[in-house]
């Protein structure tokens, strides 16, 4: 398994050789005067990861392969971003978050603490793509929510605290706290009592 672990305090040729060998790009300059990304302690980046300038990442971060994190994104502590996941610019991700492989997170998204997002989840931020002017609004995934695999979200959807979105759901409206969204389009129903517990991440 190709990875870089604990190398971000180094200022040496060896550091840059490791980056080049793993094809990792840190500090992609997207505009004039942008600032290099800032990393916490105990970082693991796998090969072909790309991280833009003006990104702040906390401690104990781990990425899969081929991860892209765009500008003006802030990520808390103890976060996993899975292989082939793309996080567009201007996103906020809390601490103790698990985002699995092949997830797309658009510009202007908010993901709070203790959230789980399953593989191949797709969030959107444009209600009328390339047809009318529209303020881009990504999802707001509140504390302790869980999102299943292969889910699709319209723009500006809020998933409330502790809510669950079942695998394969197409979410067209807000999911209240501790509710379940299931089906296509998703029906919203109260979460069974035995599932009103914290995510075990």
């Amino acid at each position: 398994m190709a990875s870089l672990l604990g190398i971000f305090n180094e200022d040496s040729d060896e550091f840059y050789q490791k980056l080049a060998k793993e094809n990792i790009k840190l500090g992609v300059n997207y505009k004039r005067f942008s600032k290099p990304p800032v990393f916490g302690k105990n970082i693991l980046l796998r090969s072909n990861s790309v991280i833009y300038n003006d990104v702040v990442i906390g401690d104990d971060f781990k990425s899969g392969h081929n991860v892209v994190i765009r500008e003006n994104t802030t990520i808390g502590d103890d976060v996993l971003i899975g292989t082939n996941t793309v996080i567009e610019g201007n996103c906020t991700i809390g601490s103790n978050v698990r985002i699995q492989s092949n997830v797309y997170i658009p510009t202007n998204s908010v993901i709070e603490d203790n959230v789980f997002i399953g593989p191949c989840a797709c969030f959107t931020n444009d209600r009328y793509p390339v047809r009318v002017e529209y303020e881009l609004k990504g999802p707001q995934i509140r504390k302790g929510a869980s999102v299943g695999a292969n889910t699709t979200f319209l723009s500006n959807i809020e998933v409330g605290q502790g809510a669950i979105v079942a695998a394969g759901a197409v979410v067209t409206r807000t999911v209240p706290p501790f509710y379940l969204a299931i089906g296509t389009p998703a029906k919203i129903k109260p979460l069974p009592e035995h599932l009103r517990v914290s995510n075990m991440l």
Side-chain angles (χ1 to χ4, degrees), residues 121-142:
C122 183
F123 302 92
T124 65
N125 63 359
D126 192 346
R127 189 169 295 274
Y128 310 104
V130 302
R131 292 297 172 121
V132 298
E133 290 292 329
Y134 181 78
E135 182 182 355
L136 300 178
K137 298 177 181 178
Q140 301 91 52
I141 313 298
R142 300 304 180 194

Side-chain angles (χ1 to χ4, degrees), residues 70-150:
R70 295 284 308 263
E71 66 275 2
N72 296 314
T73 292
T74 301
I75 298 175
D77 298 330
D78 190 20
V79 173
L80 167 70
I81 308 294
T83 294
N84 295 326
T85 289
V86 175
I87 301 172
E88 299 288 5
N90 302 292
C91 292
T92 301
I93 297 173
S95 295
N96 196 34
V97 171
R98 303 292 181 269
I99 300 173
Q100 302 301 303
S101 297
N102 301 303
V103 173
Y104 179 75
I105 299 174
T107 299
N108 300 329
S109 297
V110 175
I111 298 171
E112 295 184 350
D113 296 345
N114 203 38
V115 165
F116 174 84
I117 298 176
C120 302
C122 183
F123 302 92
T124 65
N125 63 359
D126 192 346
R127 189 169 295 274
Y128 310 104
V130 302
R131 292 297 172 121
V132 298
E133 290 292 329
Y134 181 78
E135 182 182 355
L136 300 178
K137 298 177 181 178
Q140 301 91 52
I141 313 298
R142 300 304 180 194
K143 183 177 180 180
S146 290
V147 174
N150 291 305

